[in-house]
Amino acid sequence: MDSLESELERARDLDTSALADAIETIGFECTRCGACCKAGETACGEEDEEADDAARESDAADPEPHTATVFPDEIRRLQDAGDYDFRDVARPMPYGIEETPDGPRGETFEWALQTDGCGDCTFYAEDDGVGACTVHEDRPLICRTYPFSVGLGGTSQPMGEAVDEEGMVRAHECEGLGRDISRADAEELAAALKERAVRELEEAIGVRENYRPTERDGVVVHDSEGQKRPDGTPIDRE
């Protein structure tokens, strides 16, 4: 397996024109269905407002919450954009964390966008079945580039395995695939896709270099800036 450093060099050398060609070949237009911003099956929004409120309070209402990775600096940008608290924006990535009688415990290595009581992205809004992002201009790279990813080791595949591939570009489940896309939009998406690939590998290297074992109770998030509590504050800051 290639090292993260060698994959990072490959990411930095990606030809955005070739990425745009691949995106054009696959085709994509966002239909604003909201599927990439929402959880799987939930009880929310299916009955009346009272049932919706009850579902938001029930752990069983959201077995598979929306999970989208977000970088530390992206969290801060979203905080600044809306004067949000850290935990309004992000939560520890659930992988590696388990529920215990004394509360959640474990270590994880990424942050995920915060979700509402139904498991949908907290920044997602919907009107008559048409979805919208309430922080669209400041949305993270994972959102800017969905449903595409780059086929490099150390980069993520959002929403499961690829359903289509063209060169280095992987396409993931989305009803907008196969639709016409302008060259300008393909090039903009390709540039963001390359940036995300670079950032994911830089973050992975930073996590590796800054990892320190900890026996702290509760949840610990190891990101490229060090060890943090679920509210984003460094553990070494008491």
Side-chain angles (χ1 to χ4, degrees):
M1 178 182 295
D2 290 337
S3 69
L4 291 174
E5 285 79 7
S6 63
E7 291 294 83
L8 176 57
E9 289 306 308
R10 291 180 66 197
R12 288 172 172 163
D13 288 339
L14 285 171
D15 183 346
T16 54
S17 180
L19 297 180
D21 289 344
I23 291 168
E24 273 194 297
T25 298
I26 294 171
F28 171 68
E29 180 185 16
C30 178
T31 65
R32 298 181 66 182
C33 69
C36 60
C37 304
K38 296 190 290 187
E41 295 296 323
T42 74
C44 295
E46 295 178 359
E47 300 295 337
D48 54 22
E49 185 174 342
E50 182 177 345
D52 181 80
D53 290 341
R56 290 176 186 276
E57 296 174 2
S58 170
D59 290 339
D62 181 25
E64 295 184 6
H66 173 267
T67 304
T69 55
V70 58
F71 300 124
D73 65 307
E74 292 180 323
I75 298 172
R76 289 189 287 270
R77 186 172 70 246
L78 286 166
Q79 283 185 267
D80 292 342
D83 195 26
Y84 296 110
D85 289 334
F86 186 95
R87 296 186 82 163
D88 293 332
V89 174
R91 62 192 174 96
M93 186 66 75
Y95 312 127
I97 299 174
E98 62 177 344
E99 293 294 332
T100 75
D102 297 320
R105 297 177 61 91
E107 295 178 292
T108 189
F109 298 87
E110 292 178 300
W111 297 98
L113 284 174
Q114 187 57 274
T115 54
D116 64 15
C118 294
D120 299 344
C121 176
T122 192
F123 299 114
Y124 176 71
E126 190 170 295
D127 184 19
D128 289 334
V130 178
C133 174
T134 60
V135 291
H136 191 264
E137 292 304 312
D138 297 289
R139 68 196 188 282
L141 283 164
I142 192 80
C143 305
R144 292 179 183 275
T145 54
Y146 192 80
F148 297 103
S149 66
V150 172
L152 289 172
T155 60
S156 67
Q157 295 197 75
M159 305 282 280
E161 294 297 320
V163 296
D164 197 0
E165 293 187 43
E166 182 70 28
M168 292 290 292
V169 174
R170 303 176 296 204
H172 303 269
E173 188 67 37
C174 178
E175 73 173 28
L177 290 173
R179 298 169 182 261
D180 290 340
I181 183 171
S182 71
R183 182 64 187 185
D185 287 346
E187 289 177 347
E188 181 178 352
L189 211 165
L193 194 57
K194 176 177 178 176
E195 181 183 359
R196 184 181 127 214
V198 170
R199 291 293 309 283
E200 285 181 341
L201 285 156
E202 289 176 338
E203 179 71 12
I205 291 169
V207 170
R208 185 193 64 196
E209 293 179 346
N210 287 289
Y211 176 80
R212 301 291 183 274
T214 177
E215 295 182 3
R216 185 181 182 88
D217 290 338
V219 173
V220 175
V221 181
H222 301 271
D223 67 22
S224 59
E225 299 173 349
Q227 289 68 52
K228 298 178 181 176
R229 302 179 183 89
D231 65 0
T233 56
I235 284 177
D236 59 4
R237 185 188 303 167
E238 298 296 343

